């Protein structure tokens, strides 16, 4: 049995990157969207949700946009790997190139916003309540997984950059 061609190997690598990106984004979405904490004092209980912090809403928005794009690209890549043909021919290479760049930058800004607000708010509330620490730790975990999704998308972006001069 002859070894697979270089094109098949690169398509498989691209598909693997897309699938891992989708999985990372899904995990990050689940973590950030279920993040809540209850703060208790002598007189009342306050529930904090991720929606209460605007930067976490931005993180969620970047995750959702990245997930939609990654799912679309995963479907295109599966079609390309299985049939050997590309939807819309060579024009899709340009879409891959610009889309991967845009989404990777978007995921990077979402990661930065998540880490930044977590550090600032955690410092402001240090030592006050363990419930709020768990809240910030979960947000940090979601941002960390979003960082992984950014890395995979950035690698995918490099691959689409390499394919562009050959096809466009």
């Amino acid at each position: 049995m002859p070894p697979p061609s270089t094109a098949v190997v690169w398509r498989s690598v691209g598909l693997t990157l897309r699938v891992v990106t989708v999985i990372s984004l899904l995990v990050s979405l689940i973590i950030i969207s279920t993040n809540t904490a209850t703060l208790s004092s002598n007189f009342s209980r306050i529930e904090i949700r991720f929606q209460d912090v605007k930067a976490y809403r931005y993180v969620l928005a970047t995750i959702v946009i990245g997930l939609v794009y990654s799912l679309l690209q995963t479907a295109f890549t599966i079609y390309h790997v299985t049939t050997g043909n590309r939807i819309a021919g060579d024009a899709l290479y340009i879409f891959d190139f610009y889309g991967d760049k845009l989404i990777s930058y978007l995921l990077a800004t979402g990661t930065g916003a998540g880490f930044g607000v977590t550090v600032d708010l955690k410092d402001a509330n240090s030592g006050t309540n363990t419930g709020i620490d768990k809240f910030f730790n979960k947000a940090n975990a979601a941002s960390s997984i979003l960082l992984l999704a950014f890395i995979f998308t950035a690698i995918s972006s490099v691959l689409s950059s390499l394919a562009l001069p050959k096809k466009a």
Side-chain angles (χ1 to χ4, degrees):
M1 185 164 130
S5 71
T6 306
V8 172
V9 170
W10 282 115
R11 282 184 259 172
S12 299
V13 167
L15 178 60
T16 303
L17 286 170
R18 302 263 187 221
V19 168
V20 173
T21 300
V22 167
I23 292 169
S24 299
L25 289 170
L26 280 173
V27 170
S28 187
L29 175 70
I30 291 167
I31 291 172
I32 196 74
S33 63
T34 60
N35 194 10
T36 61
T38 303
L39 305 176
S40 298
S41 69
N42 293 334
F43 304 109
S44 65
R45 294 172 53 101
I46 300 171
E47 184 172 356
I48 298 175
R49 300 174 316 233
F50 80 94
Q51 301 100 313
D52 297 331
V53 181
K54 289 182 182 174
Y56 292 152
R57 285 190 268 172
Y58 179 75
V59 170
L60 180 72
T62 61
I63 291 169
V64 170
I65 292 168
L67 189 58
V68 168
Y69 174 78
S70 296
L71 285 170
L72 178 70
Q73 285 292 60
T74 301
F76 287 159
T77 306
I78 289 172
Y79 179 79
H80 188 192
V81 167
T82 57
T83 66
N85 299 326
R86 289 183 61 92
I87 296 172
D90 290 345
L92 197 57
Y93 285 103
I94 295 170
F95 176 74
D96 289 349
F97 176 74
Y98 288 113
D100 286 347
K101 300 283 184 256
L102 178 71
I103 295 301
S104 66
Y105 291 141
L106 187 69
L107 295 178
T109 60
T111 300
F115 283 140
V117 76
T118 299
V119 167
D120 286 347
L121 292 177
K122 201 169 186 179
D123 287 346
N125 293 305
S126 63
T128 57
N129 192 318
T130 58
I132 197 80
D133 281 340
K134 288 179 185 177
F135 178 78
F136 291 133
N137 289 341
K138 266 182 102 172
N140 234 358
S143 296
S144 298
I145 296 170
L146 183 58
L147 176 63
L148 286 175
F150 157 69
I151 291 169
F152 295 130
T153 304
I155 294 169
S156 205
S157 173
V158 170
L159 293 180
S160 67
S161 297
L162 295 174
L164 188 62
K166 298 176 192 171
K167 301 295 181 183

